[in-house]
Amino acid sequence: MRSLWRSSAAFLAVAVIAAACGGSGQPAATSAGTGTAANPCGIPVTGRCASEARSLSGAGATFPAVIYTKWIDEYNKLTGVQVNYQAIGSGGGIKGITDKTVDFGATDNAMTDQQLADAKSPVLHLPAVMGGIVATYNVAGVTSLKLTGDTLSGIFLGDIKKWSDPKLAADNPGINFPAADIVTVHRSDGSGTTAVFTDYLAKVNATWKSKVGAGQTVEWPGGIGGKGNDGVAGAVKSTPNSIGYVELIYALQQKLGAATLKNSAGKFVDANLDSVSKAAVGVTLPDDLRASLTNSSNADAYSIVAMTYLLTYREVADKGKALAMARYFWWGTHEGQAFAKDLGYAPLPADVLAKVEAKIRSITSGGQAVLPAQ
């Protein structure tokens, strides 16, 4: 599986790209549209558009930062548009779009009804890619690890305190665990990755649900904190006998183990492109596209899966920025999907993409759609 991620380490978690325009090696367009020589500002995106903004600002989730960095680089080569994306965590992305300090936000967990109300104007949730959140660990001599939901939640509750606990031994026959204290590592910032991880723990453990709950920030029973997915991965790497949670690519970049989880069907499943994608099979998304994919009932699905979102207002006052965002979002959810697999993410399923298209087409400025009609 590691060969799938070979190119990812070259990308930074914070992208500020200002590349010269030139040949981009773009994948072929995947959707019919109006991005032609006669209308260079349509879709699919084929090049520069004179009437769109030349720069955009975004902030939020660290989970998709690796692929967003790639998108930003390739999109700049194609269009000359400079996108500045700050990977500050999903909480920061929601705050940024609410306060209108950025053009778009990004989050791994959907905004709550209250957060949407606080935004004062309708906000669109645009799924970008899917990915698996793994329990990553650093235990000398342990190269594979199986965990049940009960065991994983017990570790983070502090009920399972040592690696030599009988519950770990029972699911991992033949592994010689050290009689060492377990050190848990969690996010210190407001995080969609945390929201998804704790959403899963709350689904599989009633004690976790009642004592800790789920959210971008929670009162952790113990452990140490790290900022961002990269911060947690770095803390696990530097802390013997530790365990944390990150998007899979961050564990692979740090050469850390990723635990196999027992899913709701009782099957131990690794996080990979196939098992992550299957978490969305059979899920009917609501009209606003906000959904939880954790603890899927699919027998072959991985258990902790996030569909990460781009956030924008439906009505954007600046027409140039509205058009630039609509075209960038369209390209990312179409041509940009070609980069997902090599960077450790699962592309959007076709039925989800169709709903995303409709949302992007609903972006307006001055009450008028910024993308041409179909």
Side-chain angles (χ1 to χ4, degrees):
M1 181 171 67
R2 289 181 184 276
S3 63
L4 291 172
W5 330 106
R6 59 189 178 277
S7 61
S8 61
F11 302 112
L12 301 175
V14 177
V16 183
I17 306 297
C21 188
S24 64
Q26 296 291 326
T30 59
S31 175
T34 54
T36 64
N39 184 3
C41 294
I43 50 174
V45 179
T46 58
R48 288 177 177 261
C49 166
S51 58
E52 71 182 347
R54 307 314 303 157
S55 64
L56 294 171
S57 64
T62 65
F63 176 105
V66 174
I67 193 167
Y68 286 177
T69 300
K70 180 63 173 174
W71 285 3
I72 288 166
D73 188 21
E74 294 296 330
Y75 195 74
N76 178 265
K77 293 174 187 176
L78 178 64
T79 66
V81 173
Q82 177 180 317
V83 181
N84 177 347
Y85 180 75
Q86 301 292 326
I88 59 175
S90 296
I94 291 173
K95 180 173 173 49
I97 196 69
T98 302
D99 296 344
K100 297 187 177 182
T101 56
V102 293
D103 297 319
F104 66 91
T107 180
D108 301 329
N109 67 299
M111 294 172 68
T112 65
D113 291 344
Q114 183 58 56
Q115 287 171 333
L116 288 173
D118 292 342
K120 307 300 184 187
S121 182
V123 173
L124 300 177
H125 283 73
L126 307 174
V129 289
M130 297 165 56
I133 296 170
V134 300
T136 186
Y137 59 94
N138 176 9
V139 185
V142 177
T143 57
S144 66
L145 178 65
K146 292 181 178 179
L147 295 171
T148 66
D150 183 63
T151 302
L152 181 59
S153 55
I155 288 172
F156 278 87
L157 278 170
D159 295 339
I160 297 175
K161 301 180 183 297
K162 291 187 177 291
W163 284 105
S164 55
D165 189 280
K167 287 188 176 181
L168 284 166
D171 288 325
N172 295 273
I175 294 181
N176 185 25
F177 288 105
D181 290 339
I182 299 174
V183 180
T184 58
V185 183
H186 55 262
R187 288 284 289 271
S188 59
D189 52 328
S191 159
T193 304
T194 294
V196 176
F197 183 69
T198 56
D199 176 61
Y200 168 72
L201 296 184
K203 286 180 179 179
V204 299
N205 188 304
T207 301
W208 181 278
K209 183 177 181 179
S210 63
K211 287 189 174 181
V212 183
Q216 292 184 343
T217 59
V218 297
E219 291 294 326
W220 293 96
I224 59 177
K227 186 175 182 179
N229 272 278
D230 51 348
V232 170
V236 171
K237 185 175 184 178
S238 63
T239 307
N241 303 311
S242 61
I243 184 169
Y245 58 93
V246 294
E247 203 279 332
L248 177 59
I249 192 62
Y250 291 88
L252 294 169
Q253 286 178 337
Q254 295 289 349
K255 296 181 171 60
L256 294 168
T260 302
L261 294 184
K262 180 181 278 190
N263 66 14
S264 63
K267 183 177 179 180
F268 281 103
V269 177
D270 288 316
N272 55 44
L273 297 177
D274 183 58
S275 65
V276 167
S277 296
K278 285 182 176 175
V281 173
V283 175
T284 301
L285 295 179
D287 289 342
D288 62 13
L289 307 187
R290 294 184 295 162
S292 167
L293 300 180
T294 60
N295 204 36
S296 168
S297 60
N298 188 300
D300 296 316
Y302 180 68
S303 296
I304 314 179
V305 173
M307 186 162 57
T308 194
Y309 297 95
L310 293 161
L311 304 173
T312 182
Y313 285 97
R314 184 188 302 274
E315 166 69 20
V316 180
D318 187 318
K319 186 175 181 180
K321 293 209 169 191
L323 178 59
M325 280 192 288
R327 280 168 39 92
Y328 174 61
F329 296 156
W330 188 277
W331 182 92
T333 55
H334 289 77
E335 286 80 2
Q337 298 294 296
F339 301 108
K341 292 181 179 179
D342 280 347
L343 298 177
Y345 302 89
L348 296 175
D351 59 336
V352 174
L353 180 56
K355 294 181 178 182
V356 174
E357 289 180 349
K359 292 298 182 185
I360 296 173
R361 287 187 177 277
S362 74
I363 297 173
T364 60
S365 185
Q368 300 296 314
V370 296
L371 290 180
Q374 291 176 286

